[in-house]
Amino acid sequence: MSDHGYQGLNHFDAGGAARMVDISGKDDTVRVAVARGEVLMQPGTLELIDRGGVAKGDVLGVARVAGIMAAKETGRLIPMAHPITLTGVNVDFRLQRPGRVQIQARVRTTGKTGVEMEALTAVTVAGLTIYDMCKAVDREMVLGQVRLVHKTGGKSGTFEREGEQIWDT
Amino acid sequence: MSDHGYQGLNHFDAGGAARMVDISGKDDTVRVAVARGEVLMQPGTLELIDRGGVAKGDVLGVARVAGIMAAKETGRLIPMAHPITLTGVNVDFRLQRPGRVQIQARVRTTGKTGVEMEALTAVTVAGLTIYDMCKAVDREMVLGQVRLVHKTGGKSGTFEREGEQIWDT
Amino acid sequence: MSDHGYQGLNHFDAGGAARMVDISGKDDTVRVAVARGEVLMQPGTLELIDRGGVAKGDVLGVARVAGIMAAKETGRLIPMAHPITLTGVNVDFRLQRPGRVQIQARVRTTGKTGVEMEALTAVTVAGLTIYDMCKAVDREMVLGQVRLVHKTGGKSGTFEREGEQIWDT
Amino acid sequence: MSDHGYQGLNHFDAGGAARMVDISGKDDTVRVAVARGEVLMQPGTLELIDRGGVAKGDVLGVARVAGIMAAKETGRLIPMAHPITLTGVNVDFRLQRPGRVQIQARVRTTGKTGVEMEALTAVTVAGLTIYDMCKAVDREMVLGQVRLVHKTGGKSGTFEREGEQIWDT
Amino acid sequence: MSDHGYQGLNHFDAGGAARMVDISGKDDTVRVAVARGEVLMQPGTLELIDRGGVAKGDVLGVARVAGIMAAKETGRLIPMAHPITLTGVNVDFRLQRPGRVQIQARVRTTGKTGVEMEALTAVTVAGLTIYDMCKAVDREMVLGQVRLVHKTGGKSGTFEREGEQIWDT
Amino acid sequence: MSDHGYQGLNHFDAGGAARMVDISGKDDTVRVAVARGEVLMQPGTLELIDRGGVAKGDVLGVARVAGIMAAKETGRLIPMAHPITLTGVNVDFRLQRPGRVQIQARVRTTGKTGVEMEALTAVTVAGLTIYDMCKAVDREMVLGQVRLVHKTGGKSGTFEREGEQIWDT
């Protein structure tokens, strides 16, 4: 029996040492994860973002690219995450007045492990990019509510966060 | 005069194109930024993290390493961020019952631009790592309240988020 | 129907947002791509490269390593490119007097998407490396004619650029 | 005296071994480099790019982000390049009918070595990104004419490519 | 027939050019590799490491994370190594008085090529991290005896280094 | 007073948490570090390496490039290492019959912290690359004796490993 306090946390071995869990025996199946988060800001900041939406280098366009590229970096940022290939990534935004940008990332793969971490990473880096591009006018923005809302594929089955629907994009 | 809606957002040029802002003329000064965030979880998850605290591969130990390493990746994750050297990084945690892990990152540099993004990136990746290591027992954790709480150095002067104190670590 | 001007460009969704295209449903097949490019230089620069060819650290040897390693970075450089595994990469050079180094990269994978971008990236980074190593004597070199010359595997079938033959290496 | 054929190429030592040249003794000065290149394409492809210019995820917007981020990766792609910090990057495009997109990158730093390679890398990765995003409709695009057009700072002084002017952006 | 001296070294083609060997035709099988190495140090340094073992940021805990993360970087560090996905990584340590820390890495994948390099890279980076964290008190540490001790899977069959047993962790 | 067992190890704070040490107050000085290591192999493997020395893609040429590029990755591999710029890197080899390749890396910077880790990383990755390129004929090679032999610059002054001289390259 294990002599440490981590029963249930599979990123630790019987001796309590952190490890990248062995998934060699898992099946290759299509796996999807959707995560969501938000950036709270002053109403004037949201208006700036909205007005820029037709320009050639808009805030949300840059944040979308950052989120998609970050999904590909997940295995390098999260120590025990498996390095995997991805078969699709979407990052979308919704402006909610007076001062909230909602972010959704949907990630897919065909592999042996889920892509929750990839979706969560895409959301947070997209959010941090919005912060970076707007911090000259609003240093008090808050990135929050980063959470998994949907997951399919793999042995653990489908997860749906109660009361949340995936955006129809 | 500028023909786009982004006055005030210095990551865009006069034509509205995204750019990495020119900071060649800025002074090299010591700059510090402190950011904070939190992971909300079930009380049982927090107890697991707390009990593991003396084991050789604990959750928070791994998350701390992830956060410190992520601070060094900031310039590669955030599209318009300047690649910079760092002179110091600390990541700390506080457990708050029943179900909250608070995260603080403090980053320092001697250079031409601030390290807010580095501190915010360290906090979010530390938080995502906690999520990754505990998701087998708690898939509904939420990463939130990621915010800048303190900043010194540079022309824009000192910023203190109202009502927040830097932890004494 | 789509309301944006990008019909045919599959890196955009129906709303015009950039995305990493979903390839989950594609078959795993052997895929090959060959790309080519050239560096134009002064005749004296080409002679320097040629004479160094037997030394232990020759220009083309370094450029070859750079090109092969760059093929592996493609998914991190090109925002909407899928991160994939590669099963083989060759980079070759031909000196053409008076002042042209031709570069060819051949990349293979077994997967769901082609490796055109990997081959093109290998060619360009090999070319930039030649530039870097010779710029002390010739700052006016030009990297050009970077193009796909051959592609097999996948649903879109075989592509052969007219009038070009893959080098027999 | 050196026994190899590389006199003049400073990326080799006296024995002909490749090295990262020692620049410890150089002065920290403001250095600027401007590079340019082009993507040749079918007229219909250029029209697609042009029409998409107001959408939220346009081709050139993504290519600009890719180019700016690639400038920061230069030291990791080019074997003998020095890893440096950058103080500013701009990437711009000009559409030239019937079928040419011109690309210009301007990079600045305050340091001991020039940023030619960073500017050239930004141009090529921006060009490869245009290729990637449009290859579904035009596989025969060619990336070419990648060249340094301007350079200031450092001991070697100012370089201006004859007959070329930096765009006024 | 080949005209160079490298018969047997499959990382070179018939003309002697370095290449990433084509493995497209190989089978996907479960592959395991175990590597080992050691850091020699002063007895007092080993005592410091041992005493810290229950603290929240211990030397070996950080070295383990570094080794696991480095396994994922192997394809980017070793020029001719194939970029692959990994399905599991463990890094373990044994303290041997008076002054030796032994390191073992076990890496698994399901793929077309072995993971020897990943295991060796994990061992060396874990060892270098121990050096980094203790160098303030002991600059004369030596990393040594880095070797493959076990390998299964693939056409070349099982390899067992004589006289060595995999640790039971 | 500190309540953990790590007095003297400056990569831990007073509470025992790992950190990137603050070096903001240190002076920018020229710093040099030289590290050395070796790969032990069968005599036939060394002969293969030696014979290939004039070919266009020789083992040591590739290993040199790998070592130089790895020096630039040090800050990303070693968790508590500071990300720094480098001003020069050399990697050299000496063949010693019957079966030993000696490796030396010399790294320089102008900055606030030493480059021991960069030199040690260059040596180990060069050594691992030799292993990778020769493992098809010799799986029992051993990388060993990786050590710092020389260091100058910074407050701690000059270090010379007893009985070792820097190679004259």
Side-chain angles (χ1 to χ4, degrees):
Chain A
M1 208 208 106
S2 166
D3 62 343
H4 63 96
Y6 278 158
Q7 285 81 356
L9 301 194
N10 59 355
H11 274 306
F12 296 94
D13 66 19
R19 60 176 176 181
M20 188 198 290
V21 182
D22 187 10
I23 56 168
S24 308
K26 285 188 165 188
D27 289 332
D28 282 317
T29 65
V30 175
R31 293 157 192 270
V32 179
V34 179
R36 211 171 281 160
E38 65 184 30
V39 181
L40 299 179
M41 58 187 63
Q42 295 171 1
T45 309
L46 189 135
E47 295 309 321
L48 270 177
I49 291 175
D50 196 26
R51 253 183 293 156
V54 297
K56 61 184 165 168
D58 61 305
V59 171
L60 300 184
V62 177
R64 174 180 285 116
V65 173
I68 291 173
M69 293 179 84
K72 299 190 264 188
E73 295 294 301
T74 305
R76 309 184 60 241
L77 291 170
I78 310 297
M80 303 302 147
H82 295 85
I84 58 176
T85 60
L86 302 178
T87 57
V89 183
N90 292 67
V91 173
D92 290 290
F93 304 97
R94 288 195 176 173
L95 304 188
Q96 205 173 10
R97 286 189 165 71
R100 183 191 311 256
V101 175
Q102 293 193 51
I103 310 166
Q104 178 182 283
R106 190 170 47 188
V107 180
R108 275 144 295 171
T109 195
T110 305
K112 295 181 191 309
T113 186
V115 284
E116 299 100 304
M117 295 317 301
E118 282 72 13
L120 290 163
T121 300
V123 165
T124 55
V125 173
L128 292 173
T129 300
I130 292 173
Y131 186 97
D132 181 49
M133 299 190 79
C134 298
K135 71 181 190 292
V137 298
D138 185 359
R139 198 166 272 153
E140 308 219 4
M141 284 172 286
V142 175
L143 169 65
Q145 296 296 329
V146 179
R147 63 206 187 273
L148 183 68
V149 299
H150 172 84
K151 178 185 180 305
T152 55
K155 213 173 57 184
S156 68
T158 297
F159 165 81
E160 299 283 356
R161 197 176 191 93
E162 214 180 298
E164 304 220 37
Q165 284 198 300
I166 302 176
W167 301 347
D168 187 32
T169 55
Chain B
M1 209 207 105
S2 166
D3 61 343
H4 63 95
Y6 278 158
Q7 284 82 356
L9 302 195
N10 60 355
H11 274 306
F12 296 94
D13 65 19
R19 60 175 175 181
M20 188 198 290
V21 182
D22 186 10
I23 55 168
S24 308
K26 286 189 166 186
D27 288 332
D28 282 317
T29 65
V30 175
R31 292 155 192 272
V32 179
V34 179
R36 211 172 281 160
E38 64 183 31
V39 181
L40 298 179
M41 58 187 63
Q42 295 171 3
T45 309
L46 188 135
E47 294 309 321
L48 270 176
I49 290 174
D50 195 26
R51 255 184 290 156
V54 298
K56 61 183 163 169
D58 62 305
V59 171
L60 300 183
V62 177
R64 174 179 286 115
V65 174
I68 291 171
M69 295 178 83
K72 299 190 265 187
E73 295 295 302
T74 305
R76 311 184 59 241
L77 292 169
I78 309 299
M80 303 302 147
H82 295 85
I84 57 176
T85 60
L86 301 178
T87 56
V89 183
N90 292 68
V91 173
D92 290 290
F93 304 97
R94 291 197 175 171
L95 304 187
Q96 204 174 11
R97 288 192 163 71
R100 183 190 312 256
V101 175
Q102 292 193 51
I103 309 166
Q104 178 182 284
R106 190 170 46 186
V107 180
R108 275 145 296 172
T109 195
T110 305
K112 296 180 191 309
T113 186
V115 284
E116 300 100 301
M117 295 317 301
E118 283 70 14
L120 290 163
T121 300
V123 165
T124 55
V125 173
L128 291 173
T129 299
I130 293 173
Y131 186 98
D132 181 48
M133 298 192 79
C134 298
K135 69 181 192 293
V137 299
D138 186 358
R139 198 166 273 152
E140 309 218 4
M141 285 171 286
V142 175
L143 169 65
Q145 296 296 332
V146 179
R147 63 206 187 274
L148 182 68
V149 299
H150 172 85
K151 178 184 181 306
T152 55
K155 214 174 54 183
S156 68
T158 297
F159 166 81
E160 299 283 356
R161 197 175 191 93
E162 212 181 299
E164 305 219 37
Q165 284 198 299
I166 302 176
W167 302 347
D168 186 32
T169 54
Chain C
M1 209 206 106
S2 165
D3 62 343
H4 64 96
Y6 277 158
Q7 285 82 355
L9 301 194
N10 59 356
H11 275 306
F12 296 94
D13 66 19
R19 60 175 176 182
M20 188 197 290
V21 182
D22 186 12
I23 56 168
S24 309
K26 285 188 165 189
D27 289 331
D28 282 317
T29 65
V30 175
R31 292 157 192 272
V32 179
V34 179
R36 211 171 282 160
E38 65 185 29
V39 181
L40 299 179
M41 57 188 65
Q42 294 171 3
T45 310
L46 189 134
E47 294 310 321
L48 269 177
I49 291 174
D50 196 26
R51 253 182 293 155
V54 297
K56 61 184 164 168
D58 62 305
V59 171
L60 300 184
V62 176
R64 174 180 285 114
V65 173
I68 291 172
M69 292 179 84
K72 299 190 265 188
E73 294 295 301
T74 306
R76 309 183 61 240
L77 291 170
I78 310 298
M80 303 300 148
H82 295 85
I84 57 176
T85 60
L86 301 178
T87 56
V89 183
N90 292 68
V91 173
D92 291 290
F93 303 97
R94 290 195 175 173
L95 303 188
Q96 204 173 11
R97 285 189 165 71
R100 182 190 312 256
V101 175
Q102 293 192 53
I103 310 166
Q104 178 182 283
R106 189 171 47 187
V107 180
R108 277 144 294 172
T109 196
T110 306
K112 296 181 191 310
T113 187
V115 285
E116 299 100 304
M117 296 316 302
E118 281 73 13
L120 290 163
T121 300
V123 165
T124 55
V125 173
L128 291 174
T129 300
I130 292 173
Y131 186 97
D132 181 48
M133 299 190 79
C134 298
K135 69 181 191 293
V137 299
D138 186 358
R139 198 166 273 153
E140 308 219 5
M141 285 172 285
V142 176
L143 168 66
Q145 295 296 330
V146 179
R147 62 206 188 274
L148 182 68
V149 299
H150 172 85
K151 178 185 179 307
T152 54
K155 214 174 58 184
S156 68
T158 296
F159 166 80
E160 299 283 357
R161 196 175 192 93
E162 214 179 297
E164 305 221 36
Q165 284 199 300
I166 302 177
W167 302 346
D168 186 32
T169 54
Chain D
M1 208 207 106
S2 166
D3 62 342
H4 63 96
Y6 278 158
Q7 285 81 356
L9 302 195
N10 58 356
H11 275 305
F12 296 94
D13 65 18
R19 60 174 175 181
M20 187 198 290
V21 182
D22 186 10
I23 57 169
S24 309
K26 286 188 166 188
D27 289 332
D28 282 316
T29 65
V30 175
R31 292 157 191 271
V32 178
V34 179
R36 212 171 281 160
E38 65 184 31
V39 181
L40 299 178
M41 57 187 64
Q42 296 172 2
T45 309
L46 188 135
E47 294 309 322
L48 269 176
I49 291 173
D50 196 26
R51 253 183 293 155
V54 296
K56 62 182 163 169
D58 62 303
V59 170
L60 300 183
V62 176
R64 174 180 286 116
V65 174
I68 291 172
M69 293 178 83
K72 299 190 263 187
E73 295 295 302
T74 305
R76 311 184 59 240
L77 292 170
I78 309 298
M80 303 302 147
H82 295 85
I84 57 175
T85 60
L86 301 178
T87 56
V89 183
N90 292 68
V91 173
D92 291 290
F93 304 98
R94 289 196 175 172
L95 304 187
Q96 204 173 12
R97 289 191 162 69
R100 182 190 314 254
V101 175
Q102 292 193 51
I103 309 166
Q104 177 182 284
R106 190 171 46 186
V107 180
R108 275 146 294 172
T109 195
T110 304
K112 295 181 190 310
T113 186
V115 285
E116 300 100 302
M117 296 315 302
E118 282 71 15
L120 290 163
T121 300
V123 165
T124 55
V125 173
L128 291 173
T129 300
I130 293 173
Y131 187 97
D132 181 49
M133 299 191 79
C134 299
K135 70 181 191 293
V137 299
D138 186 358
R139 198 166 275 153
E140 309 218 4
M141 284 171 286
V142 175
L143 169 65
Q145 296 296 330
V146 180
R147 63 204 186 277
L148 183 68
V149 299
H150 172 85
K151 177 183 179 309
T152 55
K155 212 173 58 184
S156 68
T158 297
F159 166 80
E160 299 282 356
R161 198 177 191 92
E162 211 181 299
E164 306 220 37
Q165 284 198 299
I166 302 176
W167 302 346
D168 186 31
T169 54
Chain E
M1 209 207 106
S2 165
D3 62 343
H4 64 95
Y6 278 159
Q7 286 81 356
L9 301 195
N10 59 355
H11 275 306
F12 295 94
D13 67 18
R19 59 175 175 182
M20 188 198 292
V21 182
D22 186 10
I23 56 169
S24 308
K26 285 189 167 187
D27 288 332
D28 282 317
T29 65
V30 175
R31 293 157 191 272
V32 179
V34 179
R36 212 171 282 161
E38 66 185 29
V39 181
L40 299 178
M41 57 188 64
Q42 295 171 2
T45 310
L46 189 133
E47 295 310 321
L48 268 178
I49 290 175
D50 196 26
R51 253 183 293 156
V54 297
K56 61 184 165 167
D58 62 304
V59 171
L60 300 183
V62 177
R64 174 180 285 115
V65 174
I68 292 172
M69 293 178 85
K72 300 190 265 188
E73 295 295 302
T74 305
R76 310 183 60 242
L77 292 169
I78 309 298
M80 303 301 148
H82 295 84
I84 57 176
T85 61
L86 301 177
T87 57
V89 183
N90 292 68
V91 173
D92 290 291
F93 304 98
R94 290 196 174 172
L95 303 187
Q96 204 174 11
R97 286 190 164 70
R100 182 191 312 256
V101 175
Q102 293 193 53
I103 310 165
Q104 177 183 283
R106 190 170 47 186
V107 180
R108 278 144 293 172
T109 195
T110 305
K112 296 180 192 307
T113 187
V115 284
E116 299 99 305
M117 295 317 301
E118 281 74 12
L120 290 163
T121 301
V123 165
T124 55
V125 174
L128 291 173
T129 300
I130 292 173
Y131 186 97
D132 181 49
M133 298 190 80
C134 299
K135 70 181 191 294
V137 298
D138 186 358
R139 198 166 273 153
E140 309 218 6
M141 285 172 285
V142 175
L143 168 66
Q145 295 296 330
V146 179
R147 63 206 187 273
L148 182 68
V149 299
H150 172 85
K151 178 185 180 304
T152 54
K155 213 173 58 183
S156 68
T158 296
F159 166 81
E160 300 282 357
R161 196 174 191 93
E162 213 181 297
E164 305 221 36
Q165 285 197 299
I166 302 177
W167 301 347
D168 187 31
T169 55
Chain F
M1 208 207 105
S2 165
D3 61 343
H4 64 96
Y6 278 158
Q7 284 82 353
L9 301 195
N10 59 356
H11 275 306
F12 295 94
D13 66 18
R19 60 174 175 181
M20 188 197 290
V21 182
D22 187 11
I23 56 168
S24 308
K26 286 189 165 186
D27 288 332
D28 282 316
T29 64
V30 175
R31 292 157 191 272
V32 178
V34 179
R36 212 171 280 159
E38 66 184 30
V39 181
L40 299 178
M41 57 187 65
Q42 296 171 2
T45 309
L46 189 133
E47 295 309 322
L48 270 176
I49 290 174
D50 196 26
R51 254 183 292 155
V54 296
K56 61 183 163 168
D58 62 304
V59 171
L60 300 183
V62 177
R64 175 179 286 114
V65 174
I68 292 172
M69 293 178 85
K72 299 190 265 187
E73 295 295 301
T74 305
R76 310 183 60 239
L77 292 169
I78 309 299
M80 302 302 147
H82 295 85
I84 57 175
T85 60
L86 301 177
T87 57
V89 183
N90 291 68
V91 173
D92 290 290
F93 304 97
R94 289 196 175 172
L95 304 187
Q96 204 174 10
R97 287 191 164 69
R100 182 191 314 256
V101 175
Q102 292 193 53
I103 309 165
Q104 178 182 283
R106 190 170 47 186
V107 180
R108 275 145 295 172
T109 195
T110 306
K112 297 181 190 308
T113 186
V115 285
E116 300 100 302
M117 296 317 302
E118 282 71 14
L120 291 163
T121 300
V123 165
T124 55
V125 172
L128 292 173
T129 299
I130 292 174
Y131 187 98
D132 181 48
M133 299 192 79
C134 298
K135 69 182 192 292
V137 299
D138 186 358
R139 197 166 275 153
E140 309 219 3
M141 285 171 286
V142 176
L143 169 65
Q145 296 296 329
V146 180
R147 64 206 186 273
L148 183 68
V149 299
H150 172 84
K151 178 184 180 308
T152 55
K155 213 174 56 185
S156 68
T158 296
F159 166 82
E160 298 283 356
R161 197 178 191 92
E162 211 180 300
E164 306 220 36
Q165 284 198 300
I166 302 177
W167 302 346
D168 186 32
T169 54

